[in-house]
Amino acid sequence: MVRKAHIYRKIRKRQFLLHEGEICKYSCFVTKGCLRSYRISDDGNEHILRFAVENWWVNDNESYRTGQPSKSNIDALEDSEVILISKDNLDLLMKEIPNLQQLIEKLQARSYDASQQRIYLNISSTALQKYDHFIKTYPTLIGRLPLRTIAAYLGVSRETLSRIRN
């Protein structure tokens, strides 16, 4: 049942899983690699909302739940392997496997808590505190991502990030 409910896919570096304006039809579980969810502001700046590394989920939850066009982009920062599951198949699995509903609720609660923590850090922390939190949250990404990508996630300039790293 579970094997029929998902799609396995390899995604090349820089390949998009979701473009702004599309409807997010799948929730994505990363088995290998790194993806990012981000938005482009009116002035053309990239704002990374989150990364998804091995054993993490990513989607545009609002679009996935409501069927409305996405406000975000999701693409691969590295060659990646993912498992995709549609909302209909996930709903069916939750009916068939009662404990899955509890697991999904726990994962959603953890995701909400992490989002709240990220908002708080962004409005109340220094660049150094944001960087320290990034290292604790994504310890494997320091050597895998360019500084400009980490800086975009932290909301600081590349120069500021270089200075605090020293």
Side-chain angles (χ1 to χ4, degrees), residues 9-17 74-77:
R9 183 171 292 159
K10 289 185 177 186
I11 301 176
R12 292 179 320 279
K13 183 178 181 176
R14 295 186 196 90
Q15 184 178 351
F16 279 82
L17 189 63
I74 300 174
D75 68 358
L77 294 171

Side-chain angles (χ1 to χ4, degrees), residues 127-128 131 147 151 156-166:
L128 178 58
Y131 182 68
L147 286 183
V156 301
S157 70
R158 187 167 179 248
E159 294 76 21
T160 298
L161 181 56
S162 293
R163 193 170 46 254
I164 64 173
R165 285 174 46 121
N166 292 331

Side-chain angles (χ1 to χ4, degrees), residues 18-27 39 59-72 74 87:
L18 179 69
H19 286 277
E20 179 182 355
E22 295 177 344
I23 295 172
C24 184
K25 296 178 183 174
Y26 299 99
S27 192
R39 293 185 181 180
N59 67 11
D60 179 328
N61 197 47
E62 182 180 3
S63 177
Y64 185 72
R65 280 184 306 99
T66 66
Q68 297 298 312
S70 176
K71 298 172 186 162
S72 300
I74 300 174
K87 184 169 180 346

